[in-house]
Amino acid sequence: MTTPDRTGVTVLGLGAMGSALASALLDAGHATTVWNRTPARAAGLAARGAAAPSGIADAVAAHPLVIACLLDHASVHETLDPVIGTMRGATLVNLTTTTPNEARELAGWAEGHGVGYLDGAIMATPPMIGTAEASILYSGPREVFDDVRPVLDRWGTSTYDGADPGLASLFDLALLSGMYTMFAGFLHGAALAGSAGMTATEFAARATPFLSAMTAGFAHDAAVVDGGDYTVPGQQSLDFSDLSHIVRASAEQGVAPGPVAAVQELISGQIAQGHGAEGFARIYESLRARADVEVSR
């Protein structure tokens, strides 16, 4: 086993993101140890000065701060279960994408072995790591976050979201939900326009300024939701927001209505409950977690 370096960092997982994290640490002068299930992926970082032991035991023993950027929740256990018993006193920062409950399970598992745990969610692409544009969300014990923050800040803007280890994952997935739904809507629009011969590139040129302008409406809808009154002036009613004509047009053009049909289902559900005159933001009420429904924690 190697002697732990109290200033160094071990990075587990050398996909595009893990490699970017390790590269930024090397750029900042941190002693860096890297490990990947496929050892060849460590070659480039090793050439720059990273230590690259072949065994996971040596990798986690090298430094008291271990970063996991692996495939999924199961891969964290598969990688660390054999060595977690040797990591007592270390800190594990998990940047692997998980669900909130999976993050909570990992936090309890780590704590049970005397390992400090912080969960993280990367809101950036690999080329953004190491720049001010990169944002990473963290949740878990505040003292753990504060202790390792000088390292975390090497990657971008670090945001602490609270002691519940599942919060970083929850907020990450909430943001991704908005992103993927928006992109799905764009691609549905491209398919609809494409049925008349417009290229996706041509459609994007029209859609980008329009959709960018529409995001200014987020703040207004958020204020309505937080206020809980969907009758305040300045809202487009659910009756007026009916999207059945877009669904019909899709069918006429031979385009699957997918994303827009899902939104229309939410609108129709609220209209059926007698809320047609209220604002479009009321579909939030069909989506939100309610106090009378048990939410898994």
Side-chain angles (χ1 to χ4, degrees):
M1 294 288 184
T2 58
T3 301
D5 181 338
R6 303 302 298 181
T7 66
V9 186
T10 291
V11 178
L12 309 178
L14 299 176
M17 185 59 75
S19 294
L21 297 171
S23 180
L25 293 174
L26 287 169
D27 289 343
H30 285 275
T32 304
T33 295
V34 296
W35 176 90
N36 194 75
R37 194 176 301 276
T38 304
R41 287 194 175 181
L45 292 164
R48 294 184 52 203
S54 60
I56 185 64
D58 285 338
V60 299
H63 309 291
L65 176 56
V66 177
I67 312 299
C69 189
L70 300 165
L71 177 63
D72 54 20
H73 172 259
S75 69
V76 177
H77 274 297
E78 290 168 4
T79 300
L80 291 177
D81 275 349
V83 294
I84 191 68
T86 70
M87 292 175 60
R88 181 170 296 275
T91 296
L92 172 63
V93 178
N94 180 41
L95 299 178
T96 306
T97 300
T98 66
T99 69
N101 278 352
E102 287 172 343
R104 293 173 184 127
E105 185 278 328
L106 287 169
W109 164 75
E111 182 181 3
H113 288 88
V115 175
Y117 183 88
L118 198 65
D119 204 75
I122 302 173
M123 312 303 299
T125 60
M128 295 166 65
I129 296 299
T131 72
E133 288 71 35
S135 174
I136 306 183
L137 314 180
Y138 297 97
S139 58
R142 179 78 203 210
E143 62 273 17
V144 176
F145 174 75
D146 289 341
D147 184 51
V148 300
R149 184 168 187 174
V151 173
L152 307 181
D153 285 346
R154 299 295 191 186
W155 296 320
T157 301
S158 304
T159 300
Y160 179 70
D161 278 320
D164 177 350
L167 289 179
S169 171
L170 179 64
F171 297 151
D172 171 40
L173 299 182
L175 289 165
L176 290 175
S177 174
M179 183 193 76
Y180 280 111
T181 303
M182 177 184 69
F183 276 112
F186 162 74
L187 292 170
H188 174 262
L192 197 57
S195 69
M198 179 180 284
T199 67
T201 299
E202 291 171 327
F203 181 71
R206 298 193 186 194
T208 298
F210 174 71
L211 294 177
S212 295
M214 291 302 99
T215 62
F218 288 171
H220 178 268
D221 282 355
V224 170
V225 168
D226 288 342
D229 183 357
Y230 299 98
T231 67
V232 296
Q235 300 183 72
Q236 179 172 296
S237 73
L238 283 158
D239 284 332
F240 188 80
S241 301
D242 186 280
L243 306 181
S244 58
H245 55 294
I246 304 180
V247 176
R248 292 196 306 275
S250 297
E252 291 170 4
Q253 297 300 120
V255 174
V260 75
V263 178
Q264 178 56 34
E265 183 178 351
L266 293 169
I267 292 170
S268 297
Q270 286 296 321
I271 291 174
Q273 293 176 38
H275 302 296
E278 299 180 44
F280 174 80
R282 191 181 173 88
I283 67 170
Y284 173 85
E285 297 298 322
S286 293
L287 296 165
R288 72 181 180 92
R290 297 180 179 276
D292 58 351
V293 177
E294 182 178 353
V295 179
S296 178
R297 289 298 302 271

